[in-house]
Amino acid sequence: AGENAEARIKANTGKAKAHGKIEVDGLYRTAEEKRKIENRAAVVQVAVDQINNESAKPGSEDAKADVDDDWLNLFARLAEDKSSDELKGLFGRILAGEIRSPGAFSLRTIQFLSTLSKEDATEISNFLSFAIGGRLSHFLTKMKPGLIFMLES
């Protein structure tokens, strides 16, 4: 069901309207497969909802290119392991952004984001708000050393 929704979005990003919940019953053999399919379906549902909301706005237009198959394959493997609602939401917004503008998120970016914990993502979000607010030096003293390294590389 998740792959079917992706295909419909990919075929016509501006006009695809998905309604209801993506059903995954009967698409798995093990509890692990069920968890992965449910996670992917939740990520796709966030993307569909976001695209539907964006396409209702005036001036929205279809993407000029298709999303790369290799990008989608890696994304699907990474998204299936996201169990928290926050990370599913993040990955859904990334998918919607990539569908609207193919090439917007590099493979390296989604791999990096897939390794973040919820706490790391919160710290990076806080970091960026301080960087924009001009209080970067005050915040760096409170960050974990490993995150400073990740942001600098």
Side-chain angles (χ1 to χ4, degrees):
E3 290 171 319
N4 186 22
E6 285 178 9
R8 284 187 283 139
I9 291 168
K10 185 176 176 183
N12 192 346
T13 60
K15 296 182 179 100
K17 300 287 182 189
H19 300 284
K21 184 180 179 203
I22 298 171
E23 297 294 329
V24 298
D25 291 335
L27 298 176
Y28 52 87
R29 290 181 295 240
T30 66
E32 178 72 8
E33 281 183 6
K34 179 182 180 188
R35 179 190 61 79
K36 288 180 176 190
I37 290 171
E38 286 175 339
N39 289 345
R40 279 195 315 232
V43 167
V44 169
Q45 187 65 55
V46 169
V48 168
D49 292 344
Q50 185 150 16
I51 288 171
N52 284 343
N53 290 337
E54 290 293 320
S55 66
K57 294 180 182 177
S60 64
E61 58 185 61
D62 286 350
K64 305 285 187 243
D66 290 338
V67 176
D68 181 67
D69 285 339
D70 290 333
W71 190 96
L72 279 175
N73 291 336
L74 176 63
F75 182 85
R77 284 193 305 275
L78 297 173
E80 71 188 10
D81 290 327
K82 302 303 164 216
S83 295
S84 76
D85 290 338
E86 292 87 359
L87 289 175
K88 286 183 214 174
L90 171 64
F91 268 68
R93 290 188 302 277
I94 290 170
L95 178 58
E98 185 69 15
I99 290 168
R100 281 192 301 266
S101 180
F105 296 93
S106 70
L107 293 174
R108 179 178 284 182
T109 299
I110 60 171
Q111 284 179 320
F112 170 73
L113 291 173
S114 74
T115 63
L116 291 179
S117 67
K118 182 179 171 185
E119 293 77 22
D120 288 346
T122 300
E123 286 199 33
I124 288 173
S125 177
N126 289 339
F127 169 77
L128 293 176
S129 69
F130 278 100
I132 292 169
R135 298 180 283 175
L136 182 60
S137 61
H138 170 73
F139 185 70
L140 283 176
T141 61
K142 295 183 179 185
M143 274 186 81
K144 293 179 186 173
L147 283 179
I148 293 172
F149 171 75
M150 286 189 298
L151 292 169
E152 292 175 342
S153 15

